[in-house]
Amino acid sequence: MPKTPGPAPDARTRILKAAGAVIRQEGVMGLTIDAVAHAAGVSKGGLLYHFPSKEALVRALLEYHLDAFERALAENGKPFAQAYVEMGWYDGSGGLFLSLAAALALYPELLQTIRERSRRWYARVRTPEARIALLATDGLFMAELLGLEAFGPDERQAVLERLRELAREEAV
C-alpha cells in the first residue's frame, strides 16, 4: 500500500529548511535572503513577509532547531538527564549547528536565546552527577562541532556509558 504523503510544510517551515540547506551547502556567508528564497521556492517578498531581515531568519532558524531538540528530548521517554546525554552529544543535523554557531558570531545577541534554553535545561536536573553528565555532554557536542578528535570510537563509547550512568543517578 503506497504511503500517503503528509501535508506540505507551510511556507515558514519550508523557508527555515531551505535556510538550513543553504548554510550546509554554502556556509554562513552564503546565507542570503535571495539564496534562501530561491532554495525555498518563494519570492524574496514572500520570504521577507515571514522574516523581515536576515537576523530574523537566523533567529527563527535557531529557535526552530532548539524547539526540535526539546521535542525530541520529551519524546525520548527517558528521564530528562538520560535523554539529554543520549541525544545532546551528537550533531545529527549534518553540520547545521556549526553553521549556526558561525551565524551567532554575526549576531551575538542570539546567544541570549541559547543561554535561556540552557538555564531551563540545567534547572531540570537536581544532582551534581546529572549536572556533570550534562556539562560533559555539552563538551562532547562542542568537540564534535569543532572536529576535535579527543579519543577513538571505543573510548567515546566508554565515556558515553559513564555519562549515562551519571545521568541515571538523577532518576534514583
Side-chain angles (χ1 to χ4, degrees):
M1 179 176 219
K3 266 187 156 178
T4 305
D10 65 1
R12 183 177 169 82
T13 301
R14 200 169 66 246
I15 291 166
L16 291 172
K17 288 182 177 185
V22 168
I23 291 172
R24 279 192 300 278
Q25 293 168 1
E26 306 295 329
V28 72
M29 299 313 288
L31 183 69
T32 65
I33 298 295
D34 288 329
V36 174
H38 182 265
V42 300
S43 68
K44 184 175 178 178
L47 186 149
L48 291 171
Y49 172 80
H50 293 284
F51 307 102
S53 67
K54 182 176 171 181
E55 181 178 351
L57 176 63
V58 171
R59 177 182 302 279
L61 186 60
L62 176 63
E63 290 175 355
Y64 176 78
H65 284 284
L66 289 171
D67 290 345
F69 180 65
E70 287 182 347
R71 276 191 308 277
L73 287 172
E75 293 168 359
N76 181 280
K78 294 188 178 176
F80 180 81
Q82 290 176 40
Y84 192 98
V85 167
E86 289 184 11
M87 300 172 65
W89 69 273
Y90 170 68
D91 177 17
S93 65
L96 178 59
F97 284 102
L98 180 58
S99 297
L100 281 175
L104 291 174
L106 297 174
Y107 305 110
E109 63 276 9
L110 294 182
L111 287 172
Q112 188 58 32
T113 299
I114 294 172
R115 288 181 185 120
E116 289 168 6
R117 298 280 183 118
S118 184
R119 277 199 269 308
R120 282 195 322 226
W121 297 339
Y122 276 76
R124 293 187 65 177
V125 296
R126 297 176 305 277
T127 66
E129 293 80 9
R131 285 185 183 238
I132 289 167
L134 267 61
L135 287 165
T137 297
D138 289 343
L140 286 172
F141 177 72
M142 290 306 296
E144 286 284 318
L145 288 179
L146 298 173
L148 305 177
E149 297 196 22
F151 37 70
D154 292 340
E155 292 171 300
R156 170 184 299 259
Q157 278 309 115
V159 168
L160 287 173
E161 186 50 43
R162 181 63 183 123
L163 292 177
R164 287 182 185 111
E165 290 169 15
L166 289 171
R168 278 193 292 271
E169 293 185 22
E170 178 76 6
V172 178

